[in-house]
Amino acid sequence: MSAPLDLAELARERMAREATKKRARDEAVSPPPSRKTPKLESSTITFDSGARLVSLSSVVDSQQRSRKSAVANTANARLRTVNVSLPTPPSTESTALPDSASRPPGSLAFPKGIVRKTWALGHPREGTDIKLEEVLEPLTLRTAVLSAFQWDPTWLLTKLRRSQTKCIFVMQAKTFEEREQIAEAQVENSSWLRFVFPSMENGVNCMHSKLMLLFHLEKLRIAVPTANLLDFDWGETGVMENSVWLIDLPRLPEGRKIEEKELTEFGKELMFFMRKAGYPQDVLDGVSGFDFAGTAGIAFVHTVGGMSYGADAERTGLPGLARAVRNLDLVARDIEIEFAASSIGSLNDEYLSHFHAAVSGEDMIARASSAASAAKANFFTAKKSLPSDHSIRDKIRIYFPTKETVQDSTAGAAGTICLNRKWFESMAFPRRCFRDYISMRPGLLSHNKILYARGRRKAASISPAQDTQEDSETEDEGETSAAPSAGKVDAAAERASGQVAWAYVGSSNMSESAWGKLVYDKKAKEWKVTCRNWECGVLIPVLTGKEANWDSTNDLAEMSVFDGVVKPPFMIPGVEYDGRKPWYFQEKH
């Protein structure tokens, strides 16, 4: 982890170097050059808080545009414009507000945690959506620690209305030059604004995590959105939908601080993630002043960018997801997965098998070790020619919009819904898994990252060590385990075991970059997880398998079990592509 940077000092040093270079140029060239080096456009905006935002929006926008193609940037520009043909005129919107609206600002509105859809302009409010300002509660907000991949600082600062609000922005800055540019923009705002730049070393490509720590006088609100800090992601142009999980934690009495070892598993993983990402110590100390009891039974799941070894490797990426499933006693068999994602990586059956195993709760490092040992033992055994087994594709459905769905949407195009044609058309790509994402609110596109998992609880008579991988086939020799087949599980125990269901909401998409890859480091002689992204999310149990509603005639819980917790904002079961193509964000349409 990189040492914290003094951004104001970096900016002063950079400006001093530029002044020195300018003097040298002026002395060496006669007559003086008639053209000046172009600079980023600067803007100064005064907000209700009195804070002055100098250049930051221009710098951030320039950096973000450089990460995407011209076609994607043009599509994103359309998302920023309110479409005149909204499905419901704003003047006829329902005024049903979230149940927190009747509570005083800063009160414990969500002490047990809740998931909300983001509000969308032009669509009725039914009490299950939420606006950004309703998440922030600016009237009582004292400190806001905000993390996102994409930003519109000018728009964001209009949501913070009190001068006492201090801000810490956790942002991507891949190069030293990018950090210096942002540092220079910070100079005139240093009294209220600081930055954190998680490490981009060791192959990290994207600081994609979305997390809010909102400190009020009597509570800490933790929010985990799927949305970036952009107006269209929060519904203000009526074209895009997201989701957000949030919980309110009460302040501990008399300034008491809780030790990290006393925290819930959720709290421990949150602190682990923040420390790895380089959050300031005063933020870590501030978080320890609140009661995490409300997070018991919920998991904070993360992906730490770079390489993680040993015990750290077990806590992050796919191993961390599997560990959370085990910790919450959600280990299951016959898992069926519905995953709505806004970005898709280069997928194949092997990756799907690993992903399915993690969702089932298998120990991923033990699984990888067993597979490696089996492959080594069979190294000199002639491989038999076997037909390809793509059965894993029947257990996972991935919801991503088709070209027609995007073009028929309110926006008509999108640059943040990402899939590459060469990946989708690869022979190894699991196209059979894909379903069209069709929002329950007509015309909306999706930036959601929501996973629904349903399965049957593993029988108590079978230990996790014995029953490790009966549902995770792969074409690679040595990947299967010696676990007993489903037919050998005692029928009475199976009936008593019950159904399992849980949901994930967060920043992780369906890609190896988002969840990491297990690799054996021969030099270190241990397994490591390599992750190209920073990500975070929450795992929310719905059925733990201990409920008394087991129906032996029904293998899996119905999707309706999620309605009271994380109601799907899109149509399930989805429509198969049936020859149609997905939306390719880098192509002209």
Side-chain angles (χ1 to χ4, degrees):
M1 181 178 65
S2 302
L5 296 176
D6 185 335
L7 297 180
E9 182 61 27
L10 282 175
R12 286 190 287 269
E13 291 176 359
R14 183 185 182 202
M15 288 186 284
R17 289 197 301 272
E18 291 298 327
T20 301
K21 291 178 182 178
K22 184 178 185 302
R23 284 194 299 271
R25 287 195 302 267
D26 291 345
E27 292 171 359
V29 179
S30 182
S34 58
R35 298 181 64 187
K36 295 182 179 179
T37 303
K39 293 183 178 180
L40 292 168
E41 181 182 352
S42 178
S43 59
T44 301
I45 301 169
T46 302
F47 297 93
D48 294 346
S49 65
R52 299 175 70 246
L53 190 64
V54 182
S55 300
L56 182 59
S57 285
S58 297
V59 170
V60 171
D61 185 63
S62 177
Q63 291 181 2
Q64 290 176 167
R65 287 178 64 83
S66 69
R67 299 172 196 155
K68 290 186 175 290
S69 67
V71 172
N73 284 324
T74 299
N76 282 345
R78 295 183 64 175
L79 297 178
R80 297 176 182 273
T81 305
V82 177
N83 195 298
V84 294
S85 58
L86 291 169
T88 304
S91 59
T92 63
E93 282 187 347
S94 167
T95 56
L97 298 175
D99 50 14
S100 60
S102 60
R103 301 175 184 269
S107 62
L108 298 179
F110 307 116
K112 295 183 179 179
I114 198 165
V115 176
R116 287 281 183 251
K117 298 180 294 187
T118 52
W119 167 75
L121 177 67
H123 291 266
R125 303 202 72 183
E126 300 174 347
T128 57
D129 64 357
I130 197 165
K131 296 184 176 183
L132 178 60
E133 50 267 44
E134 293 165 354
V135 175
L136 296 174
E137 296 184 316
L139 292 178
T140 58
L141 182 59
R142 307 176 94 185
T143 300
V145 184
L146 307 174
S147 172
F149 175 53
Q150 290 190 295
W151 297 70
D152 183 346
T154 300
W155 167 77
L156 172 63
L157 267 293
T158 64
K159 305 297 181 182
L160 302 173
R161 306 181 186 280
R162 283 289 185 92
S163 59
Q164 75 265 21
T165 302
K166 309 290 185 182
C167 293
I168 298 176
F169 292 172
V170 184
M171 309 179 77
Q172 171 166 323
K174 195 165 185 178
T175 66
F176 185 78
E177 289 72 23
E178 286 181 331
R179 296 186 182 202
E180 278 196 311
Q181 284 183 330
I182 296 175
E184 185 174 342
Q186 180 199 5
V187 171
E188 294 192 32
N189 307 291
S190 57
S191 63
W192 62 275
L193 177 61
R194 289 185 284 163
F195 294 94
V196 173
F197 302 119
S199 172
M200 302 295 287
E201 299 175 354
N202 296 317
V204 179
N205 185 58
C206 184
M207 208 306 296
H208 196 253
S209 63
K210 296 157 182 64
L211 175 65
M212 299 181 179
L213 304 174
L214 306 172
F215 293 85
H216 298 260
L217 182 62
E218 297 298 334
K219 75 174 183 183
L220 167 64
R221 171 168 286 180
I222 302 175
V224 180
T226 67
N228 283 303
L229 287 167
L230 302 169
D231 57 355
F232 62 80
D233 259 8
W234 287 91
E236 297 203 352
T237 62
V239 298
M240 186 75 73
E241 69 180 351
N242 276 276
S243 300
V244 56
W245 175 87
L246 56 163
I247 192 169
D248 294 330
L249 307 181
R251 188 178 290 277
L252 291 169
E254 301 177 358
R256 178 175 168 248
K257 301 288 184 180
I258 189 171
E259 294 186 23
E260 192 165 335
K261 64 182 180 180
E262 298 174 336
L263 287 170
T264 60
E265 287 300 313
F266 180 103
K268 291 175 182 176
E269 292 308 315
L270 174 65
M271 295 289 276
F272 175 85
F273 177 76
M274 290 193 297
R275 189 173 289 111
K276 290 289 186 180
Y279 282 54
Q281 187 61 45
D282 58 339
V283 173
L284 301 178
D285 292 341
V287 167
S288 67
F290 295 86
D291 185 353
F292 274 77
T295 65
I298 302 168
F300 185 81
V301 180
H302 51 72
T303 298
V304 171
M307 295 182 288
S308 298
Y309 291 83
D312 287 357
E314 296 176 358
R315 300 175 72 165
T316 200
L318 281 184
L321 172 63
R323 182 173 181 257
V325 170
R326 295 195 301 275
N327 286 344
L328 292 175
D329 200 16
L330 295 169
V331 175
R333 48 199 295 229
D334 304 327
I335 284 283
E336 295 284 333
I337 298 171
E338 322 286 331
F339 194 174
S342 59
S343 182
I344 308 297
S346 180
L347 306 178
N348 55 39
D349 288 345
E350 181 182 13
Y351 176 77
L352 293 185
S353 180
H354 296 327
F355 189 82
H356 189 273
V359 172
S360 302
E362 293 187 30
D363 184 324
M364 299 303 291
I365 294 179
R367 180 179 188 268
S369 298
S370 176
S373 296
K376 185 177 181 179
N378 298 329
F379 183 78
F380 294 105
T381 302
K383 293 186 177 181
K384 297 180 180 180
S385 178
L386 297 174
S388 297
D389 179 8
H390 302 304
S391 60
I392 190 66
R393 302 182 184 188
D394 296 324
K395 302 173 184 178
I396 302 174
R397 285 157 294 283
I398 302 169
Y399 294 77
F400 187 87
T402 60
K403 174 183 176 181
E404 290 83 357
T405 294
V406 173
Q407 291 180 324
D408 292 343
S409 70
T410 306
T416 57
I417 301 174
C418 307
L419 176 55
N420 193 307
R421 178 187 289 270
K422 71 176 182 180
W423 294 342
F424 188 81
E425 294 184 351
S426 166
M427 291 295 292
F429 196 87
R431 289 180 291 274
R432 192 167 84 206
C433 295
F434 279 72
R435 304 291 185 272
D436 200 357
Y437 184 106
I438 301 175
S439 174
M440 301 302 289
R441 293 182 285 183
L444 287 184
L445 295 176
S446 168
H447 193 250
N448 275 312
K449 276 74 67 176
I450 305 179
L451 184 156
Y452 298 95
R454 294 171 296 151
R456 294 186 295 175
R457 184 177 176 83
K458 287 184 182 290
S461 59
I462 304 298
S463 69
Q466 291 176 300
D467 198 358
T468 56
Q469 196 205 339
E470 56 196 337
D471 295 317
S472 298
E473 297 92 355
T474 170
E475 296 177 32
D476 291 341
E477 185 176 350
E479 285 289 310
T480 56
S481 80
S485 67
K488 295 183 180 179
V489 177
D490 181 75
E494 182 176 320
R495 284 195 297 273
S497 63
Q499 299 161 324
V500 171
W502 55 265
Y504 166 90
V505 177
S507 66
S508 289
N509 280 297
M510 187 52 157
S511 69
E512 188 177 272
S513 295
W515 294 100
K517 181 179 182 179
L518 264 174
V519 179
Y520 187 75
D521 189 320
K522 294 182 180 179
K523 185 175 181 180
K525 295 183 179 180
E526 62 179 331
W527 289 92
K528 66 180 179 182
V529 178
T530 60
C531 304
R532 293 192 291 272
N533 289 6
W534 290 89
E535 309 277 6
C536 67
V538 291
L539 192 162
I540 310 159
V542 176
L543 294 176
T544 65
K546 297 178 181 178
E547 286 75 6
N549 63 346
W550 171 252
D551 180 359
S552 61
T553 65
N554 186 8
D555 284 346
L556 297 174
E558 299 292 336
M559 285 299 300
S560 59
V561 300
F562 295 101
D563 287 356
V565 181
V566 192
K567 187 173 183 177
F570 56 97
M571 294 183 184
I572 298 178
V575 178
E576 295 187 36
Y577 277 24
D578 193 24
R580 293 178 297 163
K581 300 297 183 182
W583 172 256
Y584 297 126
F585 75 116
Q586 292 179 322
E587 299 182 8
K588 292 183 178 180
H589 297 275

